[in-house]
Amino acid sequence: PDKKGRTTFTGALAEMWCNAPRRPMWFVSHWWGEPIILFVACVAAHATTFLLDDDALYWVCAYANNQSCLEDEIGVSPLQSPFSMALGISDGALVVMDSGAETLGRAWCALENAIVSR
C-alpha cells in the first residue's frame, strides 16, 4: 500500500483483464510510433478479415509485459524474453505496418519477424 493506504497494482495490464493465463491467438509486431487509433484499426481489420470473435486474444507487448519492471521481463536474452515465448505459443503473427514502414527498421520488430520465419 502507498502512504494513503491504497494498494498499487504493479503487474501487466493484461493481468487485470484476464483472471487466468491465456494463450494468445495472434502476436502483434509493431512499433509505438504509429497513432494508437491506426494500431487499433489495423487489429480490428485483421479480426474482421479472419472472422475472429470477441474472444480472440492478441499479444501486445505494452499490455502483456509488466511495464514497471521491463528489465526483469525481458531478461538477458531476447530469445528467452516474453516476446519470443509469446511468438512460440501464438497461432500466428500480425505485423502492423505504419505509413513510413518504420516497423521494418526497428530492432525488436526485426527480431520478432526473424523468430516467426524460423
Side-chain angles (χ1 to χ4, degrees), residues 30-44 60 62-63 96:
H30 71 106
W31 77 295
W32 280 113
E34 77 273 344
I36 189 72
I37 192 76
L38 296 180
F39 172 85
V40 171
C42 183
V43 174
V60 179
Y63 310 127
V96 175

Side-chain angles (χ1 to χ4, degrees), residues 9-17 61-68 73:
F9 180 76
T10 58
L13 185 57
E15 293 173 318
M16 294 180 76
W17 292 334
C61 62
Y63 310 127
N65 287 326
N66 183 343
Q67 299 297 312
S68 63
E73 288 279 295

Side-chain angles (χ1 to χ4, degrees), residues 31-102:
W31 77 295
W32 280 113
E34 77 273 344
I36 189 72
I37 192 76
L38 296 180
F39 172 85
V40 171
C42 183
V43 174
H46 179 268
T48 299
T49 300
F50 285 91
L51 305 174
L52 303 177
D53 61 28
D54 291 340
D55 289 334
L57 185 65
Y58 288 85
W59 193 94
V60 179
C61 62
Y63 310 127
N65 287 326
N66 183 343
Q67 299 297 312
S68 63
C69 60
L70 279 178
E71 301 81 23
D72 296 335
E73 288 279 295
I74 294 172
V76 295
S77 169
L79 295 178
Q80 300 300 316
S81 70
F83 296 87
S84 184
M85 290 186 279
L87 277 164
I89 62 172
S90 297
D91 295 335
L94 166 63
V95 177
V96 175
M97 191 63 60
D98 59 287
S99 62
E102 188 74 28

